[in-house]
Amino acid sequence: MSKLVTELHIIGENGSIFDTDMEYIIPLYQRAYAWEDKQLVQLIEDINDVAEDSNYYIGSLIVSKQFGRYEVVDGQQRLTSLYLLLNCLGIKTKSTLTFACREKIELYP
């Protein structure tokens, strides 16, 4: 039985969820990224309102370990938003988040 992780840090003294050797993949069955300005602004405001000595709990991330990677079952909108936000802020992260893509097909031969 694998160990249940109850808390991951987006930014922390010992690194973050994106500074590990773990790989997260957003599988094909997940809906496309759909957060708009409203959700992103709310996320940033929520984070900004947290006292410096407090924690901010964003919600759950449910994954399934598949072939050495973690397939994101739930939480992909939040995870993707945080990954993009950190990179936009210039906070270096490893490339630990990828998206499954369908192969391009030619519609008209």
Side-chain angles (χ1 to χ4, degrees):
M1 187 80 165
S2 61
K3 181 181 170 188
L4 179 65
V5 177
T6 58
E7 187 174 282
L8 294 170
H9 296 270
I10 301 304
I11 298 176
E13 293 174 6
N14 298 326
S16 75
I17 186 175
F18 301 117
D19 291 329
T20 68
D21 291 330
M22 291 187 285
E23 289 184 56
Y24 296 91
I25 185 164
I26 308 298
L28 287 174
Y29 63 80
Q30 287 286 359
R31 66 185 171 115
Y33 182 77
W35 273 23
E36 296 180 357
D37 290 351
K38 178 182 177 181
Q39 290 87 8
L40 293 168
V41 167
Q42 185 65 57
L43 173 66
I44 293 167
E45 287 176 352
D46 287 350
I47 293 169
N48 194 45
D49 289 342
V50 176
E52 197 168 315
D53 60 342
S54 297
N55 289 322
Y56 173 68
Y57 295 96
I58 192 167
S60 61
L61 175 64
I62 300 172
V63 296
S64 172
K65 193 167 187 177
Q66 301 290 328
F67 308 107
R69 300 186 300 184
Y70 292 94
E71 189 173 282
V72 179
V73 176
D74 186 45
Q76 76 102 344
Q77 301 288 315
R78 292 180 302 260
L79 186 65
T80 302
S81 296
L82 290 167
Y83 184 79
L84 293 172
L85 179 61
L86 290 173
N87 283 279
C88 286
L89 292 172
I91 298 172
K92 300 290 184 198
T93 59
K94 290 183 179 179
S95 296
T96 56
L97 180 61
T98 58
F99 298 82
C101 297
R102 290 179 177 84
E103 289 188 33
K104 184 176 179 179
I105 59 171
E106 190 174 319
L107 295 177
Y108 303 101

